[in-house]
Amino acid sequence: MAHTHSRSQSPESVTKKLKTSHISANPSSSSDPTTQFANHLFDHNTTAKLHAGYIANEPFKYAVVEKLFQDDLLKNVKDECLSELSFTEKETDIYKVNQTGDLASLNYLTESQISFLPSLLTLRDALYSEKFRTFLQTVTGCGPLSGKKQDMSVNSYTKGCHLLNHDDVIGTRRVSYILYMPLPHYTLWQKDWGGALELYPVKEGADGQSEPEAMPSKIIPPSWNQFIFFEVQPGRSFHSVEEVVVGGEGEDGRNRLSISGWFHAAQEGEDGYVAESVPETKSSREQLASTSTIFTPYPEIPEAPHPDNTLSNEYIGFLSEFLNPVYLQPRTMETLSSRFAAESSLELHSFLAHPLAEALQPRLREVDNRDGLGLDRAGRIPLHTAGSEGAWAVRGPPHKWRYCVLNPPRADAPVEAVSPRAAHASSDEILRSLQNELFPSPAFRAWLAAVSRLLPLSYAAEARRFRPGLDYTLATSEDKDVRLDVVLGLTPGVAEKANGSSNGKVSLSSALDDVRGWQAAEWGGWECYMAPHNEEDDPAVYRSDSNKFKPNGSSNDHASSSNGNGSAANGGEIPSSADMDQEMDQDEEDDSTLLTVQPGFNRLLLVLRDERVMRFVKYVSAAADGSRWDVCGEYEVGMVDDDDDEES
């Protein structure tokens, strides 16, 4: 949910008058802005030094000005931002941030309104002045920049705020920049508070396009009056903002406050205007439009199952080692089939057989503790290498997704048949058994056919580990094909952690902890399905926050969930009156959200995903007490022709 916090004591909030246009009705003042900037900024030696550093910097060209403006001016700007501007919490698959309106629209305010923001107006006009644009051109060699197309806002990163990997390529953006005003301004911002700018090297992907490496090679913490800028380059200028892990209610006001935006290429009618050409390299936004999963077709033998056929004794015997026996009962399967036909989704609780679940849950906690991803981390951002050694490896590219997957076994490793599966020595081997034995098996294929009344034609399955403070998937879709998504959630809940045992006894206080963690959407990690976007929209800005107060439910009747007994899955919280006080555009957000499901342990989610429906796993916050675990399967499916029992 997006909350709007009005901080102005003036008769009318200034930002309510801001327009959405980026074209300034009153281009920057022609008066000399030099006195507003730090001393000697425009000296030849300073410019030459910045240019040399810009050319040499890696992983791509960027420059850092440690002090951009006169300190008094920036302090006044900071005070005006906090007292006179309204910040709206915005959250999508790719970011969470508190943001003002577009400051280019200050030109539309009346004289009485602008009188509340004199320093902010001075700073904006200085930034977009011809003097400073020429300075940027000299340092970067970026070519002519527009003075009339201004694009900037004030961003407040408090606890939990973040911005994931992207390259900033949209429209005529030419230079990205950020000016830091971290609070309190007299305190040096500490590295372990988060909020650093992360820059990524690139490599050539399988499709020949440039893509970022899974881990950043340059990390720049914010500091007061620091200005960072770089030329926007498709498939090159990949960057992100680390989650801020301090601040918020009850703390000392620490806040990664900044002014950020873009300088655009010269517009039509301005000196140096050149019509934009289509770049050969796709931007991160274009690469996000779809993803391609590599499927493995089922062998011809055994023959494809028919949804009307009951499971054979052989299949039941195999599945009994994995599944809760209630889900193998014909009556239960018929009930599930009817629900799935009506709603296109199911959520089945306690899906795994009890011995398997009982063996797996405590071991997953042990793995997190061993890898420095458990409670001892105290909510801090872990190292990018955490949890990526031994059996696990990081999977990217991070402009689409980042999470850990199981390494394939060594070629010389002995093959051991372990029965029962719960007797495996480690959680890694149990997960590998689910990934390699259960999900691709003919028996599970037959079970899926019976429940979904669809015929799985091919499959892809992987065990996934989403580490707190690091991992996510961004919204992608398939343009042509319908998919059956099958996700076995294996994320231990807070309640089980509180009493330190797996005896099933949960105290009231620990149950409340669980509601405040994953189930209250405070830690991210939820699986979200979104309606197809308009062609002109940016697929990176899907709203994921509209269902924060529907932890296990859906936003409409199309994608509701079941616990296998014909009733809606429990765990939904009733929002408070404050939560119900939403902006009008919240209704539009709800319309686009088809289904949101919070992480949980031993829950199977089945979703029939139509073509162009967007899907993502929200970034897992550093506040989480451990990783988000699952086994994710995708199945290409066909319909069964009841007339001649052939697939259509």
Side-chain angles (χ1 to χ4, degrees):
M1 175 184 296
H3 300 279
T4 301
H5 306 284
S6 180
R7 304 188 181 193
S8 175
Q9 300 301 314
S10 56
E12 185 173 14
S13 176
V14 171
T15 54
K16 290 183 180 179
K17 293 295 184 181
L18 294 184
K19 309 293 184 180
T20 57
S21 172
H22 292 278
I23 302 297
S24 173
N26 179 26
S28 303
S29 172
S30 59
S31 60
D32 186 6
T34 304
T35 58
Q36 310 300 336
F37 290 96
N39 298 335
H40 311 298
L41 177 67
F42 299 111
D43 290 356
H44 173 74
N45 290 342
T46 302
T47 305
K49 184 178 180 180
L50 284 169
H51 175 69
Y54 180 85
I55 296 298
N57 280 338
E58 295 288 347
F60 54 83
K61 299 174 183 178
Y62 69 92
V64 180
V65 177
E66 293 299 342
K67 183 178 181 181
L68 184 66
F69 283 104
Q70 294 293 330
D71 206 49
D72 287 344
L73 173 62
L74 198 60
K75 288 179 182 177
N76 291 336
V77 169
K78 178 262 298 180
D79 291 340
E80 290 174 5
C81 290
L82 295 177
S83 63
E84 301 300 336
L85 296 183
S86 295
F87 288 80
T88 300
E89 180 184 299
K90 299 180 179 180
E91 184 167 11
T92 72
D93 63 328
I94 197 170
Y95 63 74
K96 179 180 180 181
V97 67
N98 305 293
Q99 192 176 65
T100 67
D102 183 0
L103 298 185
S105 300
L106 292 175
N107 295 314
Y108 295 99
L109 302 182
T110 65
E111 289 187 11
S112 61
Q113 291 167 338
I114 205 65
S115 66
F116 291 100
L117 302 168
S119 298
L120 184 57
L121 183 62
T122 297
L123 182 143
R124 189 208 63 176
D125 289 347
L127 271 180
Y128 285 91
S129 66
E130 184 177 358
K131 179 81 173 180
F132 192 68
R133 286 184 281 121
T134 301
F135 166 80
L136 291 178
Q137 290 174 241
T138 303
V139 173
T140 65
C142 65
L145 299 174
S146 176
K148 69 178 183 179
K149 185 164 186 177
Q150 302 169 0
D151 196 350
M152 63 188 295
S153 62
V154 182
N155 298 286
S156 168
Y157 282 72
T158 52
K159 191 172 185 178
C161 291
H162 56 271
L163 174 61
L164 305 180
N165 192 287
H166 62 291
D167 64 7
D168 266 357
V169 176
I170 293 180
T172 59
R173 292 175 180 175
R174 184 62 56 84
V175 173
S176 294
Y177 68 86
I178 183 165
L179 172 63
Y180 288 115
M181 302 181 291
L183 303 176
H185 74 271
Y186 51 80
T187 301
L188 181 66
W189 188 270
Q190 302 299 310
K191 182 179 179 181
D192 63 0
W193 294 353
L197 180 65
E198 301 176 315
L199 309 181
Y200 289 76
V202 297
K203 63 179 181 180
E204 183 175 313
D207 59 358
Q209 295 287 330
S210 294
E211 64 183 33
E213 298 275 6
M215 303 180 191
S217 60
K218 182 66 177 180
I219 298 177
I220 309 173
S223 64
W224 177 264
N225 209 353
Q226 182 187 63
F227 185 77
I228 303 176
F229 59 97
F230 53 85
E231 188 171 358
V232 175
Q233 303 174 70
R236 182 70 182 175
S237 52
F238 290 106
H239 60 285
S240 59
V241 175
E242 197 177 50
E243 180 185 359
V244 172
V245 297
V246 296
E249 295 181 8
E251 295 204 29
D252 56 8
R254 286 173 289 183
N255 180 348
R256 182 192 181 274
L257 190 68
S258 66
I259 295 176
S260 61
W262 298 270
F263 289 89
H264 288 255
Q267 302 295 294
E268 190 170 359
E270 291 184 299
D271 291 340
Y273 167 73
V274 177
E276 289 288 307
S277 59
V278 178
E280 294 182 3
T281 303
K282 289 183 178 181
S283 68
S284 60
R285 177 190 180 192
E286 293 171 316
Q287 293 182 48
L288 262 177
S290 64
T291 183
S292 179
T293 303
I294 299 175
F295 289 93
T296 300
Y298 285 100
E300 294 183 4
I301 300 175
E303 65 179 87
H306 191 285
D308 289 337
N309 293 344
T310 58
L311 296 178
S312 67
N313 290 334
E314 178 186 358
Y315 284 173
I316 291 175
F318 173 82
L319 292 174
S320 294
E321 276 209 52
F322 293 97
L323 272 59
N324 183 333
V326 71
Y327 293 117
L328 297 176
Q329 296 174 2
R331 185 174 179 179
T332 301
M333 294 174 64
E334 289 176 9
T335 300
L336 296 178
S337 179
S338 298
R339 289 295 302 273
F340 188 83
E343 300 171 357
S344 299
S345 68
L346 292 171
E347 186 182 7
L348 310 181
H349 291 216
S350 301
F351 183 73
L352 290 179
H354 180 71
L356 199 59
E358 190 175 46
L360 187 56
Q361 182 163 223
R363 295 179 186 180
L364 294 177
R365 292 193 182 284
E366 292 171 3
V367 171
D368 272 338
N369 291 332
R370 179 199 68 195
D371 294 341
L373 295 168
L375 286 172
D376 291 344
R377 193 173 36 83
R380 296 300 187 242
I381 302 288
L383 296 175
H384 276 268
T385 55
S388 62
E389 299 176 355
W392 295 87
V394 178
R395 183 184 181 216
H399 70 309
K400 292 183 178 180
W401 47 67
R402 182 170 61 207
Y403 53 87
C404 291
V405 295
L406 283 169
N407 282 316
R410 300 192 321 271
D412 59 349
V415 178
E416 298 182 6
V418 177
S419 183
R421 268 66 175 187
H424 276 294
S426 70
S427 60
D428 296 339
E429 292 310 309
I430 294 177
L431 291 173
R432 195 183 302 278
S433 177
L434 294 169
Q435 170 189 278
N436 295 344
E437 295 182 70
L438 175 62
F439 273 58
S441 67
F444 194 56
R445 181 192 190 190
W447 185 89
L448 289 174
V451 170
S452 69
R453 303 203 60 78
L454 299 167
L455 177 60
L457 304 173
S458 58
Y459 65 88
E462 62 180 359
R464 305 187 298 182
R465 179 187 191 182
F466 293 82
R467 301 161 297 168
L470 295 172
D471 294 340
Y472 54 87
T473 69
L474 297 183
T476 55
S477 66
E478 296 295 337
D479 287 337
K480 299 178 181 179
D481 300 321
V482 174
R483 298 282 166 82
L484 179 63
D485 295 331
V486 182
V487 182
L488 177 58
L490 295 170
T491 304
V494 183
E496 290 85 348
K497 172 268 301 180
N499 60 21
S501 68
S502 57
N503 59 13
K505 297 179 180 179
V506 180
S507 67
L508 176 60
S509 61
S510 62
L512 291 175
D513 280 341
D514 195 39
V515 171
R516 287 195 294 267
W518 296 113
Q519 296 306 307
E522 294 176 346
W523 294 348
W526 57 79
E527 189 104 27
C528 188
Y529 290 81
M530 310 292 296
H533 64 89
N534 296 323
E535 292 301 324
E536 68 272 13
D537 289 343
D538 182 356
V541 294
Y542 270 83
R543 299 176 174 89
S544 62
D545 54 329
S546 57
N547 266 339
K548 276 192 174 183
F549 298 95
K550 303 169 187 173
N552 289 312
S554 62
S555 61
N556 57 33
D557 293 336
H558 171 73
S560 58
S561 57
S562 167
N563 62 9
N565 297 317
S567 61
N570 59 2
E573 264 202 295
I574 299 175
S576 67
S577 58
D579 300 330
M580 300 297 289
D581 184 17
Q582 304 176 26
E583 297 292 325
M584 290 298 293
D585 62 359
Q586 187 67 37
D587 292 335
E588 298 177 8
E589 297 179 14
D590 288 342
D591 289 342
S592 66
T593 303
L594 303 177
L595 178 68
T596 301
V597 179
Q598 300 297 331
F601 184 77
N602 199 8
R603 299 176 186 174
L604 188 77
L605 176 67
L606 280 77
V607 177
L608 183 61
R609 173 163 46 103
D610 291 336
E611 61 271 14
R612 298 186 65 235
V613 168
M614 308 290 281
R615 176 194 186 195
F616 65 91
V617 173
K618 178 61 182 176
Y619 165 84
V620 177
S621 170
D625 67 2
S627 299
R628 175 201 184 277
W629 306 81
D630 70 23
V631 180
C632 178
E634 288 186 49
Y635 296 82
E636 291 185 305
V637 292
M639 302 293 292
V640 175
D641 190 334
D642 290 331
D643 292 334
D644 55 11
D645 290 341
E646 294 181 359
E647 54 184 274
S648 59

